[in-house]
């Protein structure tokens, strides 16, 4: 199984904070796209410790970022910065990035192809998830779970992360508050949450 050590990664993060503030000072405005992608690729080198190569996470509770909708990624970064979304590690990390660095990272991540790595769930669970999804979730996340500018892509997302996110919305734990998703998860049982997560993880 995948092994990773959060404490070791946090120690490495301290080094990144230092180099981000230097590159923030050097960040340019209005640069051509190819340059933005190049800078984004460099920044993402560190993020890859958790989010995987090219934003494809191999850890069940860490989201894939590859191919995620860019306006959604930007909005989540803003939320980590202003405190509407809280994660002990991500909040500090995103706050340490300049707006230009965030834009470069988003441009790079959105241009990558999602390559899901989660092992397939049992077929019966996926089928249960599919029918729940088709009643409720497709309205915003789309038939193929690709989302749109403000709604995240769920197709191929790490199932452990989807479960964690849905429970947070449902239970109002405070790490992530969003009225729309609170309303849409209120009625979900743990088993339904697991099933929907298995289903969207199986989509490509
Ligand atoms: C130590 C591990 C770690 C590192 C390094 C890391 N992240 Fe994260 N990231 C996470 C975890 C865990 C979450 C999920 C947080 C939650 O549960 O809300 C997350 C969530 C995110 C999200 C929200 C995704 C979504 O689908 O809503 C974005 C965007 C993000 N990270 C960007 C980055 C960027 C950009 C970097 C590099 C500058 C980075 N992360 C580095 C662990 C990490
Ligand atoms: C009315 C529109 C709407 C409906 C219906 C809806 N969602 Fe969402 N969903 C959103 C929006 C908008 C967000 C972004 C919320 C945020 O910023 O936290 C979101 C976020 C999410 C996330 C977090 C994704 C990530 O990358 O962190 C998951 C998981 C999710 N929805 C799953 C579902 C499931 C499963 C259903 C059906 C039970 C559903 N949603 C129904 C609009 C909707």
């Amino acid at each position: 199984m995948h092994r990773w050590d959060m404490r070791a990664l946090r120690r490495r993060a301290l080094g990144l904070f230092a180099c981000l503030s230097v590159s923030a000072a050097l960040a340019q405005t209005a640069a051509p796209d190819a340059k933005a992608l190049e800078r984004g690729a460099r920044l993402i080198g560190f993020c890859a410790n958790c989010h995987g190569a090219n934003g494809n996470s191999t850890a069940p509770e860490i989201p894939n970022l590859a191919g995620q909708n860019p306006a959604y990624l930007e909005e989540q970064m803003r939320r980590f910065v202003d405190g509407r979304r809280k994660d002990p590690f991500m909040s500090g990390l995103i706050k340490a990035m300049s707006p230009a660095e965030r834009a470069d990272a988003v441009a790079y991540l959105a241009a990558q192809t999602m390559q899901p790595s989660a092992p397939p769930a049992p077929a019966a669970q996926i089928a249960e998830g599919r029918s729940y999804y088709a009643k409720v979730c497709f309205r915003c996340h789309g038939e193929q779970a690709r989302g749109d500018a403000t709604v995240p892509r769920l197709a191929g997302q790490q199932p452990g992360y989807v479960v964690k996110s849905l429970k947070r919305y449902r239970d109002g734990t405070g790490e992530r508050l969003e009225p729309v998703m609170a309303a849409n998860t209120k009625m979900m049982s743990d088993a339904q949450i697991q099933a929907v997560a298995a289903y969207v993880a199986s989509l490509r």
Side-chain angles (χ1 to χ4, degrees):
M1 277 312 287
H2 185 87
R3 292 187 63 229
W4 57 294
D5 177 347
M6 187 63 102
R7 266 181 301 177
L9 289 168
R10 280 171 197 201
R11 277 196 301 276
R12 286 161 82 171
L14 294 176
L16 181 79
F17 284 126
C19 82
L20 281 176
S21 45
V22 173
S23 60
L26 299 172
Q28 292 168 8
T29 51
D33 280 355
K35 292 265 190 226
L37 291 177
E38 225 177 275
R39 290 193 304 266
R42 272 203 304 276
L43 279 165
I44 289 307
F46 174 76
C47 319
N49 283 311
C50 294
H51 291 285
N54 307 322
N56 279 292
S57 159
T58 55
E61 292 217 340
I62 300 188
N64 282 332
L65 303 175
Q68 184 54 279
N69 305 332
Y72 168 76
L73 288 175
E74 267 169 37
E75 173 63 14
Q76 296 309 304
M77 290 190 183
R78 268 194 298 276
R79 289 184 180 204
F80 280 127
V81 171
D82 68 25
R84 275 177 293 165
R85 184 169 176 181
K86 298 184 188 71
D87 177 83
F89 186 73
M90 282 309 307
S91 306
L93 186 54
I94 300 294
K95 279 181 193 159
M97 294 171 82
S98 70
E101 285 171 329
R102 282 180 224 144
D104 291 344
V106 165
Y108 176 79
L109 288 166
Q112 306 308 305
T113 305
M114 195 181 272
Q115 292 166 326
S117 59
Q125 191 182 36
I126 291 179
E128 186 196 338
R130 180 187 297 116
S131 85
Y132 197 96
Y133 186 91
K135 284 188 210 118
V136 181
C137 322
F138 77 97
R139 282 188 284 125
C140 299
H141 290 277
E143 302 274 352
Q144 306 297 316
R146 300 274 171 88
D148 64 22
T150 53
V151 179
R153 175 191 169 117
L154 303 176
Q157 188 50 278
Q158 283 289 353
Y161 170 73
V162 173
V163 167
K164 178 174 75 168
S165 301
L166 291 174
K167 288 185 175 169
R168 284 175 169 177
Y169 289 130
R170 181 190 65 184
D171 302 339
T173 54
E175 287 98 343
R176 203 172 178 187
L177 300 173
E178 167 65 39
V180 158
M181 280 306 303
N184 278 284
T185 47
K186 199 169 59 197
M187 309 296 286
M188 292 182 93
S189 67
D190 284 1
Q192 285 167 330
I193 284 179
Q194 299 281 355
V196 169
Y199 170 62
V200 296
S202 76
L203 297 174
R204 295 296 177 259

